[in-house]
């Protein structure tokens, strides 16, 4: 995806091999140091805490003002939407007028959440999400078996890196099974079961929220008679049955409940309270 592409372009820009301008030679010193993560003219900026901070952007600005011994300097700000507002504002002038040897890349999955002033200063390259078929082909080439796991594609927004990440995550299937019994059995026992599981498994919480939201999304789709694009297509029968038991308004309320829990967690809501809200109230 975009991460891989941005790194690839950065490496191409920094390559000193002269035989081909379109791709890195992979043999010259800049290429080799790039592969080792030690190219002095390449800097990766990403969040070390929850956000990308203004101090990190100040470091970039200080660094970019120093002319390289040779060639160019490339900066990659990953998940640029995690920049604080102050950090984004701090970056504006440099984005507007970088030195002629300086190149700055920003990657983000949520372009719209960047400040308009930042967006107006960058050239945007939107990577279309891959289709299920395309992801299956890539997986096949990589020797990854995704058969029967088409739902991973929808759950990860068609971003290959995330699909394969989920496929490799051993706990993911367990999380998914827990969520599915929670929704489709829908009794007090399954609620308490998920409650107990999440209470002792904080790492699984976000993943379970995502899975649960994807199920409710599917139910809504079925209720709007658009059952084609189901993420959890392997659970289609359950989803159709569930869609008959609840109204679209009920489902919207459930989705809103999940959104509220996400919001409250960002505001440092007590974790056990979040688990209780999810399993007993939503
Ligand atoms: Zn090279």
């Amino acid at each position: 995806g975009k991460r891989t592409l941005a790194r690839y372009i950065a490496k191409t820009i920094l390559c000193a091999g002269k035989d081909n301008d379109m791709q890195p030679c992979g043999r010259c010193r800049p290429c080799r140091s790039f592969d080792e993560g030690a190219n002095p003219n390449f800097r990766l900026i990403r969040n070390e805490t929850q956000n990308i901070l203004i101090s990190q952007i100040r470091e970039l600005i200080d660094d970019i003002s120093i002319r390289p011994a040779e060639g160019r300097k490339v900066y990659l700000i990953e998940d640029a939407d995690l920049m604080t507002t102050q950090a984004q504002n701090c970056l504006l002038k440099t984005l507007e007028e970088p030195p002629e040897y300086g190149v700055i890349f920003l990657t983000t999955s949520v372009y719209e959440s960047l400040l308009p002033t930042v967006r107006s200063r960058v050239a945007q390259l939107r990577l279309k999400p891959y289709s299920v078929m395309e992801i299956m082909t890539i997986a096949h080439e990589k020797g990854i078996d995704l058969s029967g796991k088409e739902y991973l594609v929808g759950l990860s927004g068609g971003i290959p890196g995330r699909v394969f990440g989920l496929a490799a995550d051993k706990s993911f299937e367990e999380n998914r099974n827990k969520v599915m019994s929670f929704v489709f059995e829908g009794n007090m026992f399954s609620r308490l079961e998920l409650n107990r599981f999440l209470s002792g498994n904080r790492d699984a919480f976000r993943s379970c929220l995502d899975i649960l939201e994807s199920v409710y999304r599917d139910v809504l789709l079925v209720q709007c008679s658009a059952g084609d694009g189901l993420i959890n297509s392997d659970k289609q029968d359950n989803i159709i049955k569930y869609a008959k038991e609840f109204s679209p308004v009920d489902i919207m309320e459930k989705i809103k409940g999940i959104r509220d829990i996400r919001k409250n967690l960002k505001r440092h809501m007590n974790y056990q309270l979040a688990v209780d809200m999810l399993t007993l109230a939503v």
Side-chain angles (χ1 to χ4, degrees):
K2 53 188 172 323
R3 222 164 260 212
T4 316
L5 181 66
R7 284 202 169 81
Y8 185 80
I9 298 174
K11 190 175 166 187
T12 307
I13 291 172
L14 294 170
C15 171
K18 287 287 164 264
D19 42 359
N20 195 336
D21 280 339
M22 301 302 289
Q23 58 188 57
C25 72
R27 293 182 305 273
C28 68
R29 202 156 44 90
C31 277
R32 278 182 288 135
S33 61
F34 188 94
D35 290 338
E36 290 158 8
N39 189 310
N41 293 327
F42 177 73
R43 290 251 172 149
L44 176 66
I45 296 101
R46 60 177 160 197
N47 65 311
E48 287 154 9
T49 56
Q50 217 164 23
N51 290 103
I52 297 172
L53 305 171
I54 191 168
S55 55
Q56 296 176 269
I57 299 303
R58 289 212 178 102
E59 276 176 32
L60 181 161
I61 293 172
D62 286 345
D63 190 82
I64 206 172
S65 69
I66 304 164
R67 181 176 284 276
E70 53 175 348
R72 289 169 182 264
K73 281 181 146 178
V74 182
Y75 300 83
L76 170 56
I77 305 179
E78 251 174 13
D79 296 318
D81 50 280
L82 294 179
M83 283 190 286
T84 61
T85 305
Q86 295 92 316
Q88 294 190 50
N89 280 321
C90 180
L91 184 63
L92 286 182
K93 199 169 161 293
T94 309
L95 272 186
E96 175 93 351
E97 291 179 321
E100 86 282 339
Y101 53 79
V103 181
I104 304 174
F105 288 106
L106 284 70
T107 65
T108 175
S109 314
V110 271
Y111 178 69
E112 281 67 25
S113 67
L114 292 170
L115 291 181
T117 42
V118 169
R119 278 185 268 152
S120 69
R121 284 167 173 79
V122 300
Q124 190 200 1
L125 178 69
R126 190 181 283 269
L127 293 191
K128 208 177 51 156
Y130 288 86
S131 70
V132 173
M133 273 305 290
E134 286 167 323
I135 299 264
M136 290 315 221
T137 310
I138 298 171
H140 185 74
E141 282 164 3
K142 286 177 174 279
I144 300 171
D145 184 18
L146 287 185
S147 49
K149 295 190 177 180
E150 287 79 0
Y151 52 84
L152 290 180
V153 178
L155 254 181
S156 55
I159 297 163
R162 266 191 234 164
V163 180
F164 303 139
L166 288 182
D169 180 355
K170 288 195 179 67
S171 55
F172 179 80
E173 283 307 312
E174 186 188 5
N175 297 348
R176 189 167 184 265
N177 290 336
K178 297 269 186 218
V179 170
M180 292 302 170
S181 359
F182 167 73
V183 179
F184 297 129
E185 289 169 24
N187 51 35
M188 196 38 85
F189 178 78
S190 65
R191 285 176 177 270
L192 290 174
E193 178 77 15
L194 186 67
N195 188 294
R196 203 173 44 203
F197 174 69
L198 288 175
S199 298
N201 244 310
R202 194 170 178 153
D203 289 344
F205 194 69
R206 221 161 271 274
S207 158
C208 286
L209 282 183
D210 292 345
I211 296 164
L212 189 57
E213 200 171 349
S214 78
V215 175
Y216 292 144
R217 168 207 175 270
D218 283 350
V219 171
L220 264 185
L221 273 191
V222 169
Q223 290 175 330
C224 306
S225 357
D228 281 353
L230 294 189
I231 290 175
N232 303 285
S233 47
D234 58 323
K235 304 284 178 192
Q236 189 174 19
D237 293 347
N238 288 308
I239 288 169
I240 291 174
K241 185 163 167 280
Y242 194 84
K244 287 178 186 151
E245 290 167 18
F246 292 89
S247 76
V249 176
D250 295 334
I251 305 299
M252 294 291 289
E253 283 299 318
K254 289 175 188 290
I255 292 173
K256 195 174 155 292
I258 295 176
R259 297 263 155 96
D260 288 345
I261 291 170
R262 285 189 205 273
K263 232 187 289 169
N264 286 324
L265 268 182
K266 271 193 191 152
R267 295 180 189 146
H268 310 292
M269 177 200 242
N270 172 284
Y271 176 66
Q272 187 57 46
L273 186 58
V275 170
D276 291 347
M277 267 179 74
L278 179 73
T279 53
L280 305 172
V282 169

